[in-house]
Amino acid sequence: MHSNNGHSHGHHHNHVSPGSSQMLYSPPSTQQLHPASPTASTPSTADSGFFQPPPRLGNQFTTDLALQRILNLYVPLARQRKPLVHDLTQLGEKVLSTPVLRHLEDAERHPPELESRDAFSPELDETVRTSEGWRKLVEMGTREGCVAEGYDGRLGRIGQFARYYIFAPSSAVATCPFATTDAIARLLSSHLAPPKQPPPTTMNFEVPSLTQAEREADAVRRVFKRAYTKLVSRDPATSWTASSQYLTSTSTTAVYAPTADAALGPWTITGPQSPADADIAIVLARTPGSPRLSAFFTHGEPTRGYLLGTEGEGARALATIRTITRVHAAVAAAAVMRRAVSIAKIARPPAPRHLRTVARLELLTRAATHLAFLAAHLLSLSEAPLLTPRPASPATAVAAAPHLLRILAPLANAVNATLAQAVTAECDAVGSESEHAEPLNLPRLRRDAQALAATEGAPGLTADLVAALKTPAALAALANWVRANLASTAAGSSDGEDTLERCKVAIWHEWRKVLDMVEAASSEELTAAGRRVMWRVAWVVVGVCLLLDARVDREGTATECVRRWVMEGVGEGRAEEGEGREGREGRGREGRGVREGMVRRGSWEERWDRAVVFGDEGERPRL
């Protein structure tokens, strides 16, 4: 096998994607390109003659080869994957259908508005008014299982977030309430089981009568159970959404003051709260019984509520909410990147310079998608290991999943939110000549990416990442994960093995440097260099994921992606802003001279750019 420029890719180019490779847009028909005219001399006008067919996006699942390969990693059994592929194929068409795009446009034209009473009202009554389009999109997401699939689905969180990923770019950010609804549903689920009773001390097996406190606790569990059932429902007519009020004011207080009408809860809550278009909310407040924050469930009346757990457990509730919403944010950011890159692919003729730019954006999008679904897999493995498919790679011990998730949730959120801003901005520049009508509205996608980045700032995310890395159990779990997955092998041909082996060695060397840095530096030093730490850890984790993907079948494009990420340092482009020269050297990168504007038409590099961008078997170089 002949190699060039350090490449050693194989002859095998078969996809393992569950669906066949399809074009990213519908090609124009002969009639569109050459419309019939009364006479050859009839000129074109505004109403007749030749019309350039607009670019069209294809099915948002079957054209996403990266997602298909990632699903093959995490759902390795074809019999398990087949129903999911069927559902995603249908959803991939639906999100671009005329009714959905009309709902999207209506939601954009009529954003939510806050209505309140006038200045003479004795009480402040604030209500969030939403558009019909927004409500229809929320109903669609509810039916598709953007929350429910994570609880009653057959594939755990992977099936849920695959649907979420396809739906998010067409949702007008209706996925935002799904994130908090999902988080609060999981929080409530941990308070549904009654406390364990001590074993009987005699042979009398009569059921003891409940005390007043036990009856009250049982009544509270019934309230939580009803709310949980509605939060995870697929029926828009009965489902609920939830919001969390933990970002308001820490001056909120709660006092236990039962009333005759106990339906709304025995606690009185006072203090500033944010209005929300939701059925229930979780509020953090201080109580007389604990100096720490406590979590309260409210429904119907924000000044009355139920205590979640015991007093002082607000931080634990907040951790659950943040972990899940961070995974949602990571998936949403990757989804926005995917839609933007799909538009950039069809916005201009595929000239070499354009291909090189879009190939880099495609690789960054693949990286973000790998990070997002690794976090989703770890979340699923932490919550329901028996229901989560167990792939051979990436290999993850069940006991290590919660520790890995503590690192991956803030890491994936911070990295993907940052990448989404950069990728959508560059796609907007590439596709600046295209119309901004749906579904090709790049400015909207760019705005959505900026909103995702603003939801939870990078400083807080990197601080939590550093805190996790300085936790011995979490760092050991990540070290074992990197070691085990770099050492793993997959059955298949030896084509391209030299490239993958060199990538593995480069990733391992960089990981040793990262590990030494984390162990040697103090928490304060790592926090001060938070962005640098974030990018270096992400570079290693993404490199491992891309390597595992390529090892499945040694498919040429997958091998080229990991080669570019590791040996050409594509993934280091963002890290370089906080990394010195010594940190960028010694990774054995090659091909740095191949830059935008230096790729000739018909060259070897252009053919690989085309393969990375379009995944077209016929366009891949045959080595």
Side-chain angles (χ1 to χ4, degrees), residues 349-428:
R353 178 170 183 145
H354 172 65
L355 278 176
R356 167 100 335 193
T357 299
V358 179
R360 178 171 52 81
L361 299 177
E362 168 67 27
L363 181 51
L364 293 175
T365 302
R366 287 194 180 206
T369 309
H370 271 291
L371 270 181
F373 277 88
L374 175 58
H377 173 67
L378 293 174
L379 177 62
S380 188
L381 202 58
S382 301
E383 296 173 340
L386 297 180
L387 299 179
T388 302
R390 300 295 303 277
S393 62
T396 306
V398 173
H403 301 295
L404 285 170
L405 182 61
R406 186 176 175 187
I407 294 175
L408 260 294
L411 179 69
N413 187 354
V415 170
N416 286 9
T418 306
L419 285 179
Q421 292 183 87
V423 169
T424 54
E426 198 154 357
C427 288
D428 195 13

Side-chain angles (χ1 to χ4, degrees), residues 474-495:
L475 185 61
L478 181 59
N480 291 335
W481 183 87
V482 172
R483 184 184 303 107
N485 284 289
L486 286 180
S488 65
T489 58
S493 67
S494 60
D495 295 331

Side-chain angles (χ1 to χ4, degrees), residues 37 45 68 94 149 154 168 172 190 194 208 233 275 279 286 307 312 375 389 468 545 610 621:
S37 57
T45 69
Q68 294 174 34
K94 189 183 298 184
E149 188 69 22
R154 295 180 294 269
S190 63
S233 172
D279 298 282
R286 299 191 184 278
L307 178 66
C545 290
R610 188 177 297 275

